[in-house]
Amino acid sequence: MTRLLHPDVPARPGGVPVTTPVYQTSTYELPRTAEAAQIAEAVAPVGYYTRYGSPNAAEAEAILADLDGAERALLVGSGMAAVSAALLSNVRAGTRVVAQTDHYTAALTLLRDVLPSFGVEVTLVAQESLQDAVDDTTDLVYAETPSNPAMVLTDLAAVRAAAPRALFVVDNTFASPYNTRPLDLGVDLVVQSATKYLNGHSDVTAGVLTGRAELIDRAWDTARVLGPTCHPFEAWLLARGLRTFPLRMARHNANGQAVAEALAAHPAVTAVHYPGLPGHPQHELARRQMAGFGGMLSFTVASAEAATAVLRGTRLARNAVSLGGTETLITHPVSLLFTHGDTATGIDPALLRLSVGLEEPEDIIADLVAALSAAASPGRRGPASPDGR
Ligand SMILES: Cc1ncc(COP(=O)(O)O)c(C=O)c1O
């Protein structure tokens, strides 16, 4: 048994691996000197214990900090872990938080239900007028831009100017750092679901915070205690996904614009919400704040029934939550609400959300046009195959 547990390991290869191996270990052998205590006391040590950090997480963090122009990044196990660590490391009873009425549903639950139960004073206001609702008595502002699924923008520079004293935290998941760099606009701490565009392949759940070293170190201490680790293999996959990030984002931007324009020209579509369309009410702000407009959009059709018929009618676009992967996804947000106690108000029942993927744009448009035609005259498109495609 002892020999099984301590085999004679063949010599490690002399060459240096071109890609970083997956450090699939939960713990590391420590030096038997005072250096061990220094490693144990360090912030995010890479060779101590995987809940504290790992070489794979450190590699992804270096790339993510660079993308955002941040001093430091912290990788955690999901986007919600990033949101939670960012907020919980900066609030206590009595902290005055101002946030939007429109946020990703679980973030809204955290703001509206969880934080107030600990005595945090949270005020939720209409997103477009966030800058009018904050002032120098605000301790923390939390924004998400563009928001999900309405694609409304928050004017980050205006909010920064209106709340000079507040810690400004922004969820940049929809825009991604390719299209918006919030730290350059005065934001203090950026959170993102790396599950989406950053990884880009719908095969990883992860989250990231970026910002000044002091804020990231504090968030690391909160995450160390709460324990939402990003495991080495997930971090490794994320670092791999990040290698093609700008190439994917350029294509998401081009495809998003092409699909938005095609939908806007379709007679069965009553509205398209995409910041890249000149008709978007905040198009000028989008041009100032975003380098490109991304692959996320939402659109409405005549009725809730028509929306569910379109959802049933697509073949290429698959009915699945999440976003930012290589494949086009479609959802009907109203039918997915009221789960897990998460609610969002004011979502049009005739609205569909699209995460435009990397397919040929003509194929995505043809799929949507066929589904819109089938919804207008039921029976024109044959039944979906058993896997829904
Ligand atoms: C804008 C936004 N923020 C945060 C999250 C949470 O990310 P995760 O699912 O990785 O926890 C999501 C998930 O869809 C999101 O859309």
Side-chain angles (χ1 to χ4, degrees), residues 2-18:
T2 302
R3 289 207 309 283
L4 280 176
L5 299 179
H6 302 275
D8 280 336
V9 180
R12 304 245 153 95
V16 176
V18 170

Side-chain angles (χ1 to χ4, degrees), residues 80 83-84 87-88 105-116:
M80 273 317 296
V83 175
S84 308
L87 293 177
L88 293 174
T105 47
L108 193 59
T109 303
L110 178 66
L111 288 157
R112 196 196 45 208
D113 302 339
V114 180
L115 294 183

Side-chain angles (χ1 to χ4, degrees), residues 135-157:
D135 56 28
D136 57 11
T137 67
T138 310
D139 297 315
L140 190 151
V141 188
Y142 182 74
E144 179 184 327
T145 179
S147 62
N148 177 21
M151 303 302 298
V152 178
L153 271 64
T154 310
D155 187 336
L156 299 178

